[in-house]
Amino acid sequence: MTQRNDRICGVLLLVLAVAYGWGATQFPEPFGGAESVGPDTFPKVLAVVLALSSLYLIVKPDPDNAWPTGRIVLELVIAVAVLVAYTLLLQPLGFILATLLAVGTLCWRMGAPPMRAYVTGAIAGVVVYLLFTYALNLALPLGVLSVLEGS
Amino acid sequence: METLGYLIDGFGVALAPHNLMFALIGAFLGTLIGALPGLGPANGVAILIPLAFTLGLPPETALIMLTSVYAGAMYGGRISSILLNIPGDEPAMMTCLDGYPMAQKGKAAEALAISAIASFMGSLIATIGLILLAPLLAKFALTFGPAEYFALFVLAFATLGGITGKNPIKTVLAAALGLMIATVGIDSTGTQRYTFGVLELYEGIDFIIAIVGLFAISELLFFIESRAGDGKGPMKVNKLTLSFKEVREIMPSSIRGGVLGFIAGVLPGAGASLGSFIGYTLEKKVVGKKGYFGEGDPRGVAGPEAGNNGASSGALVPMLTLGVPGSGTTAVLLALLISMNITPGPLMFTQNADIVWGVIAALLIGNFLLLLLNIPLVGIFVRLLSVPPKYLLPIVTMVAFVGIYSISNSAFDLYFMVAFGVFGYFLRKLEIPMVPIILGLLLGPEMEKNLRHALDIADGDWTVLWSSGLAIGLWVVAFVGLVLPYIVGPILRRRMNAARQSAE
């Protein structure tokens, strides 16, 4: 069993600790002059704690967990992409359509038959929209569907 | 007697119709969340927090609803343990041992009813314990100065890994990361720290976003990777035939389990896993050869369930009195309090007495509601168990999105939440616990404030941090709390696994 994960993580965190600690030394002096405890004191303590614990991780790593490979990595990337796209589309496309697409795609990628997946997405979108708009009085963006509202 | 007066006032708060309604909603949703495999109480409460905000609930109502969710989730956990042999979370593991065999023998309804009664007893005992103990602890904590508080925060982190935590250094690491995230923003002297000129960061990073991202989004990613859950369907539930005699039989087990669970819950770091484990082992010891544990002994269901629920109410003691949560879920509840501008801790008992006692009263009422809800409605929860997670998790994720979106209407926050989700996925892969990160985010500002105070008073002399007996005591407990799991943890985990294997 390899122990690379923890080592790599330890190195990255060590770099972070140094950068963070260095950042703390660059803070401008607060208004009212230097105090015994300034804005930099606590961050410096944290940088030291993080540096020490990441060093420990490098020296004594735990055995690795298996990382996903191939297809599953792709699925994970798709899932994150769907979430980002959901955020992007929420305003322009409106809540109901964006939810239909996002929930539908996620269900489908997780193994549901496409038809049922998108139907689930549509139902979820409409139900939550109605719930928020009429029961909770909160506005969710209606987006392109707002043409229906006028009629 | 003073306590009694407060408690009566508390009932006045908790019994207000809208509070009662939200308690009922919370109890129902909580049971649902707990019943679904993969969604634990911490995730459940985390997902519902943004909703509590968007509803614009007053603090006591929001807190009442979410404590009901918490209690409900602890109740619900047993449903998947008994019917699917899948523990929803670690503490529910012990319930599988006798609960599933009971269901296999066609006594699923009895197992569910017994576990509901035992859960009720456990919570009831622990809530009474909370009422007795919390004011005393709060009074004691009033004597704390800044140095003691700083030590107390360290203690909170040190014991958070809990007995079942694996690598204590990873707990330290996670705590440091969380505290570092907390320093982003403009500090009390007006200095900008780590904002890189990004306007959205001036106010700091909202921990609600971090919590939802870390818990809900990472859960989705983790599920995609493991593709778990498409296994067998739940057991059939027979018609309930529970005699008074049978209920009487499990009462002693429930009481013992509840008391032990409460103690385990109050102790920093011990938590519900230990509560249910000792609840079960004690039953085995007490009943001895007369029992048929592992083959569906009702007492083997009652003991751990009472312990489990006792511990979860017990964990509210340090959270409410000291502002130091003893478990992941109480950390999430703490987040709720802080974001409503209520500082938990001893002062809350005097400054926000109505809230504290309202919540405690709500906990009592919630337990009755849960018992009433759980015995007749168990069929509904069982039916919901058959909804496959591949439909459920995307919807849960969407609810988290909507919650965050309706707090701020900001796309920036949503991206941040997704980023935290990815971060959480890597952390879980590396077995770095997420709760200390959350706690770091929550306690960071208070911790720094107390450090500054203590050092300012002592003119920058760091030894002030361990200059009083009380402070030294806290440091010692913190140290023990950090090191002990290293020794006890593997033993406990091994025993829990061994018990599980021998039962199979």
Side-chain angles (χ1 to χ4, degrees):
Chain A
M1 228 186 264
T2 57
Q3 302 177 315
R4 250 195 350 237
N5 287 352
D6 275 8
R7 287 226 163 89
I8 294 171
C9 169
V11 171
L12 288 175
L13 289 175
L14 189 61
V15 172
L16 176 71
V18 171
Y20 182 88
W22 179 80
T25 63
Q26 302 297 307
F27 290 150
E29 198 172 282
F31 185 76
E35 312 155 62
S36 58
V37 204
D40 57 327
T41 312
F42 194 53
K44 280 179 185 162
V45 174
L46 294 179
V48 172
V49 173
L50 185 67
L52 289 178
S53 46
S54 43
L55 276 176
Y56 178 89
L57 216 56
I58 296 169
V59 178
K60 263 199 83 174
D62 288 340
D64 283 354
N65 276 322
W67 287 97
T69 48
R71 259 188 62 91
I72 295 177
V73 176
L74 186 70
E75 292 294 339
L76 287 171
V77 172
I78 290 175
V80 174
V82 167
L83 295 178
V84 171
Y86 188 33
T87 311
L88 265 173
L89 295 175
L90 203 55
Q91 289 278 7
L93 214 51
F95 175 77
I96 296 179
L97 288 182
T99 302
L100 185 158
L101 291 176
V103 173
T105 311
L106 284 175
C107 290
W108 168 50
R109 294 316 307 168
M110 285 162 94
M115 230 355 242
R116 291 182 70 175
Y118 286 99
V119 169
T120 308
I123 295 172
V126 172
V127 168
V128 173
Y129 183 81
L130 293 178
L131 204 68
F132 266 64
T133 315
Y134 295 106
L136 307 178
N137 266 330
L138 290 161
L140 286 173
L142 201 50
V144 289
L145 287 183
S146 56
V147 286
L148 301 175
E149 211 175 26
S151 60
Chain B
M1 276 309 97
E2 193 186 8
T3 305
L4 199 65
Y6 281 129
L7 190 62
I8 290 166
D9 289 345
F11 272 106
V13 174
L15 285 171
H18 64 286
N19 287 342
L20 207 55
M21 184 185 79
F22 279 106
L24 194 64
I25 294 174
F28 183 80
L29 287 177
T31 314
L32 205 69
I33 287 165
L36 297 164
L39 279 181
N43 308 45
V45 179
I47 293 162
L48 292 175
I49 279 191
L51 279 179
F53 271 98
T54 51
L55 292 173
L57 298 179
E60 68 277 6
T61 309
L63 205 59
I64 283 171
M65 180 174 100
L66 289 170
T67 37
S68 307
V69 172
Y70 178 37
M74 298 309 282
Y75 261 70
R78 77 222 151 77
I79 299 178
S80 62
S81 301
I82 290 171
L83 297 179
L84 299 172
N85 203 18
I86 301 171
D89 52 5
E90 206 181 47
M93 214 162 118
M94 305 310 289
T95 310
C96 292
L97 299 182
D98 280 287
Y100 188 65
M102 268 185 91
Q104 279 176 319
K105 285 194 213 157
K107 297 184 89 180
E110 283 74 18
L112 287 169
I114 284 169
S115 64
I117 295 167
S119 295
F120 170 76
M121 286 307 295
S123 297
L124 188 68
I125 291 167
T127 311
I128 294 169
L130 173 70
I131 292 167
L132 297 176
L133 189 63
L136 292 179
L137 201 59
K139 216 164 264 171
F140 171 66
L142 281 174
T143 61
F144 283 22
E148 284 79 16
Y149 260 108
F150 186 78
L152 180 70
F153 287 136
V154 175
L155 183 149
F157 285 112
T159 54
L160 204 65
I163 294 205
T164 46
K166 284 177 187 150
N167 185 343
I169 296 300
K170 286 187 172 169
T171 305
V172 176
L173 199 127
L177 275 176
L179 289 168
M180 281 165 67
I181 301 172
T183 58
V184 175
I186 297 174
D187 93 322
S188 58
T189 59
T191 310
Q192 274 191 41
R193 297 193 290 188
Y194 310 106
T195 55
F196 307 105
V198 179
L199 200 64
E200 278 92 346
L201 290 178
Y202 282 21
E203 297 265 302
I205 290 167
D206 190 341
F207 37 69
I208 303 289
I209 293 166
I211 287 175
V212 177
L214 285 176
F215 282 113
I217 307 288
S218 82
E219 186 67 46
L220 177 85
L221 298 177
F222 228 69
F223 177 81
I224 291 175
E225 191 198 327
S226 63
R227 297 229 166 206
D230 273 330
K232 53 200 171 204
M235 287 276 189
K236 282 234 158 50
V237 177
N238 58 306
K239 213 167 166 326
L240 179 67
T241 51
L242 198 64
S243 66
F244 180 69
K245 193 176 143 272
E246 282 171 290
V247 175
R248 212 180 44 203
E249 229 173 55
I250 57 139
M251 268 306 143
S253 316
S254 309
I255 293 168
R256 284 191 289 262
V259 172
L260 281 177
F262 174 69
I263 297 169
V266 174
L267 289 178
S273 302
L274 187 71
S276 68
F277 176 74
I278 53 179
Y280 188 80
T281 358
L282 183 79
E283 277 326 293
K284 250 177 131 167
K285 283 249 160 65
V286 170
V287 178
K289 290 247 160 62
K290 277 177 281 172
Y292 42 102
F293 289 95
E295 293 160 41
D297 192 314
R299 287 161 295 194
V301 177
E305 266 310 307
N308 176 356
N309 288 272
S312 59
S313 302
L316 288 172
V317 173
M319 194 278 256
L320 290 173
T321 55
L322 305 173
V324 170
S327 67
T329 323
T330 43
V332 178
L333 287 174
L334 183 73
L336 179 79
L337 279 175
I338 295 179
S339 52
M340 293 187 153
N341 281 324
I342 299 163
T343 313
L347 288 177
M348 192 168 74
F349 277 75
T350 48
Q351 285 170 351
N352 306 94
D354 49 334
I355 293 181
V356 182
W357 291 100
V359 169
I360 293 175
L363 207 58
L364 277 173
I365 296 167
N367 276 309
F368 283 99
L369 288 179
L370 279 164
L371 187 68
L372 291 178
L373 209 64
N374 260 278
I375 296 199
L377 291 188
V378 84
I380 296 179
F381 297 120
V382 172
R383 205 152 319 140
L384 282 160
L385 266 183
S386 46
V387 178
K390 63 187 170 213
Y391 292 106
L392 208 79
L393 271 172
I395 296 175
V396 168
T397 312
M398 188 242 335
V399 171
F401 258 81
V402 182
I404 295 290
Y405 181 78
S406 46
I407 293 177
S408 64
N409 279 322
S410 135
F412 182 84
D413 286 355
L414 292 179
Y415 291 127
F416 231 68
M417 180 177 82
V418 176
F420 267 109
V422 176
F423 181 51
Y425 170 81
F426 281 103
L427 291 175
R428 285 168 77 163
K429 271 283 166 196
L430 293 163
E431 290 183 333
I432 295 173
M434 295 194 289
V435 175
I437 296 184
I438 303 282
L439 201 61
L441 259 164
L442 292 177
L443 299 182
E446 275 298 302
M447 198 167 169
E448 181 170 13
K449 200 176 88 192
N450 280 295
L451 178 70
R452 283 188 180 185
H453 250 116
L455 289 177
D456 277 341
I457 296 167
D459 261 337
D461 178 10
W462 285 78
T463 55
V464 70
L465 293 178
W466 40 88
S467 56
S468 77
L470 189 56
I472 294 173
L474 290 168
W475 283 102
V476 170
V477 177
F479 182 74
V480 172
L482 194 63
V483 178
L484 198 65
Y486 221 25
I487 305 155
V488 183
I491 302 174
L492 180 68
R493 250 196 318 281
R494 213 167 43 234
R495 292 226 176 127
M496 276 173 97
N497 280 324
R500 193 170 157 74
Q501 260 149 28
S502 71
E504 270 166 8

